Each structure stands twice: as structure tokens, then as C-alpha cells.
């Protein structure tokens, strides 16, 4: 935003309502209930507030790419904010609003304002947004019109827009071009593969969108993997899943398969053999996967919102913006970290969680971690937790990740991640009763290494009869665990291994209804779990999770390395 335009229309419309303001970004998926529009993220300042009919002011969104689907559902059911006002760039919710306007003729205004206007608006109780201004109290600010920059389309792009590749691809290209305009992109880029996140049945709107695109004859034109879905596809009917949930969740998965997507059903696509290489331009959704792909693999993908992921898969084209560009991948802040002695696996998600708190909307470079020689699983846990608290699509780790540039360290602002900050995050995520009825492993989907680590920690012991232990993992990992004997060891200990769904989409009765307290080794699920499940969720190491599995109890403690 330049100095002239303090208020910019992203999506035009008119709205009036009470102002609901927060300086902390919010993930609509896992943070807002599609059923009533209330904030369910127990860690967010707006927890319990209703967004319906409000003029929602926040810096940006964060967390899951599925937020676009949640917003679309809220819009279609008249439970959405009347308007969205951001103080920085935002794609996920903007895409949900764009799809509502373009495909369902239900627009809501999306506006971007400067920091000073954001602060001033936050002081008022109500606002009125028109096609040309924002009015609040005595303040009237002119709105610049929506971005309409010309996009340099290729002949093939223009042919898709003309309908030569069918109605589905035509609709997809329209959405891509609209997003490119608001992102400031002047051309599109080829991608080699996609990973779609919209196959999660976060709300009925996800199914409405997918079925509409399938009805239009849409077919993907690049290899496209699928995220975890909301049911165990082959077994949900024998698991007592209500037909009202299981049938549409399965139908949603089937719609994406009909459009040519591969039924991989995993939220850890970087564990597949098809994982992209350094410098490869791909189109991934699912926040943890995007951050891992950019940061650890050195591939290139913005955090594409649900629905845009499919549109790019249908055309093989994405807006050339964000971290596709070299200059957008540079670190903006250095976080100095001192690795304590004798850390365990809980250290890595905690580092990611706190790093996200320190960099809620910027790419950090973490310095000081290389000496600990983090494994792929350690980095997986760190990236997932970082994506929970930060809107940034990637991070760098000096001496570890491929694009960490030590040359820039002296030019950047510096912060230090203290043990006090990490301890505060531990207490935030690890509170809850000592008695535990459920152990949750696999958010994101567990790797073969995590399955083996859990089995080794059990050391032949079996779970307590009052404790359920569930690991969610991709089919490829479960097959490998079967081949090397890990699966048999886990099952003999009373552990259940589930494919297709993950903890962020699991529901009763697969989620044991009697469980009151859950323990997990995932910083991501420790954050989202209370809002998604309605239970107390505790965070801990694999050793803590195994202790709970065999005894039903984990005393409150702070790790020795945090003292």
C-alpha cells in the first residue's frame, strides 16, 4: 500500500456493523466454529466472541489454509462477518470471500488499511463500508478501488479463459486471475504438482464447491495429491460415524478423486516419494506442509488457500507472487536460540511455537540450532507448530535449511528466544488434569520414525485399559510399518493406527467420547485441540505420551532442559 492509498478495496461491497478488533491474527479453521461463527480458539483474545455481522479488524489470518472454506460456509449461512478489514496482505480469507462472490453471488467487502487507520478504526464501536469510503464516528476515509493491474497472460492462459479447456478450467482461471490482481502479480507461473487441502470436510461449503467444479467437468492437469480427509474412507461405516457426517465427508473425497486427484489422504505430503526438490515451483495447501516444503526442502509454494489449490491444479498455473519470488523468501528477523543440554523431542515443537509468536507475520532466521542436529521429524514438528502461531509461509535455520543465508545476519533486527518464553509456552500448552484418557499422535501425520520411536518407548508394555492410544498416519507409512514389524508391535500394545484422517479432522466416536483429557506430542494439536474437541489437551514429549498410555496419568512437570 502506498502513501496515497491508506484504505484499499480488495473486494468491493457494502456493509455496516459493530467493530470487532484484534491485533492478533486468527485461523478460521480450528479457530472459528462454522456452526455459529463464534471464536473457539481458547488461546485467542477473541475467544467466545461471535463474528457474525461484525466489521472484523485484524492484521491478517494465520494457521490453516482451510480457513477459506470455513469463511465460505459462514457466508452461505449468513453467519460471517459483514466485512473483513486487514492491515496487511491476506490470502486465505480473501479467497473464501472471492469464491462466495464469484461462484455464489454473495459478496462481502474485504479492505486493506494502513496501520494508522487500523488503530484509529479500532477506537470506534461501529463502521459503515461503502463502495467509496469507510465511515466510523467522525472519521470518513476514502477507499481506493480494487486492484486492476493487467496480467500478462500466455496464449494458453487466454484459451483457458475463453473456455477452450472446459467450464471447470474456465472458472478456475477466473479465480486465479482475480487472486493474482489482489496479490499484485503481473503474470502466472507453471507448477509441477499440487497438494489440495479442500478435501477436508471442514464445512458443507467444501462439498458444495467441489461438486460444482466436478459438475463443470474439471480435471487436474498436474500430479495432485490429497490432504487428510475427515473419515477413515474404507472403514467409517463400521466405526459408527453418523451418516450425516460420514457420507458427505466421503462424498467430498470422491469428488476430488473424480477430478483426477490422487487419494493419498495425508497432511504430510513431504513424506511421499513425490516430494518436490530444491527450487521446484509447486502449489501446496495445508499450512504445515507449505512451511516444510519451503523451509526444509527448498521448494517454492505460497500458502495457497483451499479452493485456489484446486484451481491451480486444474490449470497448472499460479500467480507469480509471494515466496515464488526470490526477494519474498528472505529472512526479516534473526531469532537467536540457545539449545539447552539434554533436550528431548518436545523441544522442537516448542521452538516452532514460540518462533511463530515472535514472528507472527514475518519470515525468521533461527540461529543456534544447528549444533543440536535436528532430524527430519524434529523439523516437521517445528514447522507445524510455527504455522500455528505465524502467518509466514516459511522460516530459515542457520546451518540446517538450504536457503539460510548467514551473510544477512548483521543487517537484520535481532531477538533472543529465552527459556522464560519457552516455559510460558509450555505452561500454556501443557495445562490440564494429570489423569489422561487419550493419547494423540500424528498431527501432522506420523512418519515411520515417529511410529518406531513410540514403539521403542513402549518397550513391550501395553496401554492402560482406561486409556485410548491413537496414531494417525498416511497409507504409505502404515504399509512400511507393517513391513518392518512396527505395526504389529504397536497393535499388540493396544495402539490404534488410523489412515486418511488426522487429529485436526477426527470426530466422535472415532475420537473416544469418554475421553476428558488428551495428551499429544504435537504443538499444533495442543493449540487447536481444545477448540476442536472441547477437551483439555496437554502437550508433552513422546516419553510423556507413553507414560500416559501405560499408567493413565502424567504428573505436571517442566522439562529439566527448560529450568
Amino acid at each position: 500500500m502506498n502513501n496515497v492509498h491508506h484504505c484499499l478495496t480488495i473486494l468491493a461491497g457494502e456493509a455496516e456493523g459493530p467493530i470487532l478488533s484484534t491485533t492478533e491474527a486468527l485461523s478460521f479453521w480450528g479457530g472459528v466454529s462454522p456452526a455459529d461463527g463464534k471464536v473457539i480458539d481458547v488461546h485467542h483474545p477473541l475467544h467466545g466472541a461471535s463474528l457474525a455481522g461484525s466489521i472484523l479488524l485484524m492484521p491478517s489470518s494465520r494457521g490453516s489454509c482451510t480457513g477459506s472454506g470455513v469463511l465460505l460456509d459462514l457466508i452461505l449461512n449468513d453467519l460471517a462477518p459483514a466485512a473483513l478489514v486487514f492491515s496487511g496482505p491476506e490470502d486465505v480469507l480473501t479467497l473464501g470471500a472471492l469464491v462466495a462472490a464469484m461462484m455464489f453471488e454473495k459478496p462481502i467487502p474485504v479492505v486493506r488499511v494502513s496501520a494508522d487507520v487500523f488503530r484509529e478504526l479500532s477506537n470506534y464501536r461501529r463502521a459503515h463500508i461503502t463502495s467509496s469510503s469507510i465511515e466510523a464516528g467522525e472519521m470518513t476515509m476514502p477507499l481506493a478501488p480494487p486492484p486492476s493491474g493487467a496480467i500478462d497472460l500466455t496464449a494458453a492462459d487466454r484459451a483457458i479463459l475463453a473456455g477452450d479447456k472446459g467450464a471447470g478450467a474456465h472458472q478456475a482461471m477466473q479465480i486465479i486471475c482475480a487472486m493474482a490482481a489482489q496479490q499484485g502479480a503481473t503474470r502466472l507461473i507453471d507448477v509441477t504438482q499440487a497438494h489440495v487441502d479442500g478435501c477436508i470436510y471442514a464445512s458443507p461449503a467444501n462439498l458444495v464447491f467441489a461438486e460444482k467444479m466436478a459438475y463443470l467437468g474439471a480435471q487436474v492437469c498436474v500430479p495432485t495429491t490429497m490432504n487428510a480427509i475427515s473419515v477413515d474412507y474404507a472403514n467409517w461405516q463400521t466405526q459408527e460415524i453418523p451418516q450425516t457426517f460420514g457420507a458427505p465427508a466421503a462424498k467430498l473425497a470422491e469428488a476430488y478423486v473424480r477430478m483426477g486427484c490422487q487419494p493419498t489422504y495425508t497432511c504430510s505430503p513431504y513424506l511421499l516419494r513425490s516430494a518436490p526438490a530444491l527450487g521446484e515451483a509447486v502449489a501446496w495447501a495445508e499450512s504445515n506442509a507449505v512451511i516444510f516444503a519451503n523451509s526444509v526442502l527448498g521448494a517454492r509454494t505460497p500458502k495457497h488457500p483451499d479452493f485456489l489449490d484446486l484451481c491451480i491444479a486444474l490449470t497448472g498455473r499460479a500467480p507469480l507472487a509471494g515466496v515464488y519470488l526470490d526477494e519474498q523468501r528472505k529472512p526479516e528477523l534473526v531469532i537467536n536460540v540457545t539449545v539447552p543440554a539434554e533436550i528431548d523431542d518436545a523441544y522442537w515443537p516448542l521452538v516452532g511455537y514460540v518462533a511463530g509468536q515472535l514472528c507472527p507475520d514475518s519470515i525468521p532466521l533461527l540461529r543456534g540450532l544447528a549444533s543440536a542436529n535436528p532430524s527430519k521429524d524434529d523439523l516437521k514438528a517445528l514447522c507445524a507448530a510455527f504455522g500455528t502461531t505465524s502467518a509466514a509461509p516459511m522460516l530459515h535455520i542457520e546451518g540446517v535449511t538450504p536457503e539460510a543465508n548467514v551473510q544477512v545476519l548483521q543487517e537484520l533486527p535481532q531477538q533472543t528466544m529465552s527459556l522464560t518464553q519457552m516455559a510460558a509456552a509450555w505452561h500454556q500448552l501443557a495445562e490440564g488434569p494429570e489423569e489422561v484418557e487419550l493419547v494423540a499422535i500424528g498431527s501432522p501425520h506420523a512418519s515411520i520414525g515417529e511410529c518406531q520411536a513410540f514403539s521403542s518407548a513402549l518397550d513391550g508394555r501395553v496401554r492402560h485399559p482406561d486409556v485410548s492410544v491413537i496414531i494417525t498416519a498416511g497409507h504409505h507409512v502404515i504399509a512400511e510399518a507393517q513391513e518392518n514389524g512396527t505395526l504389529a508391535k504397536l497393535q499388540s500394545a493396544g495402539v490404534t493406527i488410523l489412515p486418511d484422517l488426522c487429529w485436526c479432522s477426527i470426530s466422535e466416536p472415532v475420537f473416544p467420547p469418554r475421553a476428558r483429557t488428551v495428551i499429544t506430542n504435537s504443538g499444533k494439536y495442543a493449540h487447536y485441540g481444545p477448540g476442536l474437541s472441547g477437551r483439555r489437551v496437554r502437550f508433552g514429549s513422546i516419553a510423556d505420551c507413553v507414560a500416559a498410555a501405560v499408567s493413565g496419568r502424567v504428573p505436571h512437570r517442566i522439562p529439566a532442559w527448560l529450568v
Side-chain angles (χ1 to χ4, degrees):
M1 187 179 306
N2 60 38
N3 293 329
V4 176
H5 296 148
H6 296 283
C7 303
L8 175 65
T9 301
I10 302 299
L11 293 175
E14 184 161 343
E16 184 171 8
I19 289 175
L20 189 62
S21 179
T22 176
T23 57
E24 185 173 326
L26 173 66
S27 173
F28 268 44
W29 177 89
V32 179
S33 168
D36 57 15
K38 290 185 177 178
V39 178
I40 58 173
D41 182 344
V42 300
H43 304 291
H44 197 275
L46 293 182
H47 178 238
S50 174
L51 305 184
S54 69
I55 307 294
L56 179 61
L57 274 65
M58 63 180 183
S60 184
S61 66
R62 70 181 184 195
S64 177
C65 304
T66 307
S68 50
V70 174
L71 177 62
L72 177 60
D73 196 68
L74 293 173
I75 292 172
L76 297 183
N77 290 289
D78 299 321
L79 292 168
L84 299 170
V85 180
F86 301 114
S87 60
E90 199 287 329
D91 287 343
V92 173
L93 300 180
T94 300
L95 192 280
L98 179 66
V99 169
M102 293 182 67
M103 295 183 66
F104 301 97
E105 298 181 349
K106 295 196 73 171
I108 67 168
V110 179
V111 174
R112 192 179 303 159
V113 301
S114 60
D116 55 338
V117 172
F118 185 92
R119 287 191 296 270
E120 188 171 355
L121 276 174
S122 299
N123 295 324
Y124 292 99
R125 296 182 61 184
R126 295 185 67 84
H128 181 204
I129 297 176
T130 71
S131 60
S132 59
S133 68
I134 300 178
E135 302 166 5
E138 302 297 320
M139 183 185 77
T140 299
M141 290 294 297
L143 270 174
S148 57
I151 300 171
D152 184 14
L153 298 177
T154 65
D157 296 333
R158 292 193 295 272
I160 295 174
L161 270 179
D164 292 1
K165 299 294 184 180
H170 165 73
Q171 179 71 83
M173 184 59 81
Q174 284 186 314
I175 292 172
I176 290 169
C177 289
M179 279 298 287
Q182 78 90 19
Q183 291 174 337
T186 58
R187 62 187 182 93
L188 307 181
I189 185 176
D190 287 329
V191 298
T192 59
Q193 62 169 272
H195 180 74
V196 297
D197 186 47
C199 50
I200 291 180
Y201 189 62
S203 68
N206 291 69
L207 179 58
V208 172
F209 172 83
E211 290 202 317
K212 188 164 186 176
M213 295 299 281
Y215 173 78
L216 294 174
Q219 286 290 303
V220 302
C221 67
V222 294
T224 302
T225 53
M226 290 173 65
N227 203 43
I229 56 177
S230 298
V231 290
D232 177 346
Y233 182 77
N235 302 301
W236 69 267
Q237 290 174 308
T238 62
Q239 294 169 337
E240 300 182 3
I241 297 293
Q243 186 78 13
T244 53
F245 179 80
K251 199 173 180 181
L252 175 61
E254 291 160 4
Y256 278 94
V257 173
R258 286 203 312 275
M259 289 186 279
C261 300
Q262 303 166 23
T264 47
Y265 301 155
T266 180
C267 52
S268 300
Y270 40 81
L271 300 178
L272 297 169
R273 291 181 180 177
S274 57
L278 179 68
E280 188 174 345
V282 301
W284 279 16
E286 175 25 80
S287 59
N288 98 85
V290 167
I291 294 167
F292 191 97
N294 283 311
S295 307
V296 181
L297 303 181
R300 298 194 169 202
T301 174
K303 193 167 71 173
H304 291 301
D306 287 15
F307 309 144
L308 186 63
D309 51 7
L310 177 65
C311 292
I312 296 173
L314 297 176
T315 61
R317 302 284 279 166
L320 181 56
V323 289
Y324 286 132
L325 301 167
D326 289 345
E327 60 268 24
Q328 296 295 321
R329 299 177 67 84
K330 295 177 180 178
E332 301 162 85
L333 172 74
V334 174
I335 300 178
N336 296 294
V337 187
T338 301
V339 181
E342 299 182 4
I343 58 173
D344 58 25
D345 56 283
Y347 175 74
W348 300 102
L350 206 61
V351 168
Y353 195 83
V354 176
Q357 292 175 326
L358 294 174
C359 291
D361 55 8
S362 55
I363 297 173
L365 188 147
L366 307 184
R367 183 171 63 182
L369 295 175
S371 62
N373 193 26
S375 68
K376 189 174 183 179
D377 286 335
D378 295 332
L379 297 174
K380 170 175 173 284
L382 187 155
C383 288
F386 176 77
T388 303
T389 50
S390 177
M394 66 181 297
L395 53 82
H396 302 280
I397 304 175
E398 181 187 347
V400 176
T401 58
E403 296 176 73
N405 186 356
V406 296
Q407 303 293 325
V408 301
L409 293 186
Q410 299 305 319
E411 305 169 10
L412 296 175
Q414 307 265 329
Q415 284 199 37
T416 298
M417 184 182 298
S418 68
L419 288 181
T420 300
Q421 290 167 319
M422 295 185 71
W426 177 277
H427 288 299
Q428 180 182 353
L429 297 175
E431 63 179 12
E434 293 188 351
E435 293 77 15
V436 173
E437 295 82 29
L438 174 61
V439 177
I441 305 294
S443 179
H445 271 173
S447 68
I448 187 63
E450 289 172 288
C451 293
Q452 291 172 322
F454 196 86
S455 177
S456 296
L458 279 168
D459 194 25
R461 295 172 292 175
V462 300
R463 68 171 178 86
H464 190 280
D466 294 333
V467 180
S468 298
V469 184
I470 300 175
I471 297 175
T472 61
H475 284 276
H476 59 295
V477 168
I478 295 174
E480 186 175 352
Q482 185 171 19
E483 289 175 7
N484 65 24
T486 303
L487 182 63
K489 290 179 182 178
L490 290 169
Q491 290 175 330
S492 66
V495 178
T496 299
I497 296 88
L498 292 174
D500 300 346
L501 43 71
C502 77
W503 285 101
C504 294
S505 61
I506 198 170
S507 60
E508 293 184 8
V510 176
F511 187 110
R514 62 177 179 79
R516 300 181 305 276
T517 302
V518 185
I519 189 167
T520 181
N521 67 331
S522 165
K524 177 178 181 177
Y525 191 63
H527 179 96
Y528 287 127
L532 290 170
S533 70
R535 271 68 164 201
R536 304 291 291 273
V537 180
R538 292 184 57 185
F539 169 72
S541 64
I542 284 181
D544 293 328
C545 292
V546 168
V550 299
S551 70
R553 185 181 184 89
V554 179
H556 285 289
R557 69 168 186 96
I558 189 165
W561 48 264
L562 259 184
V563 176

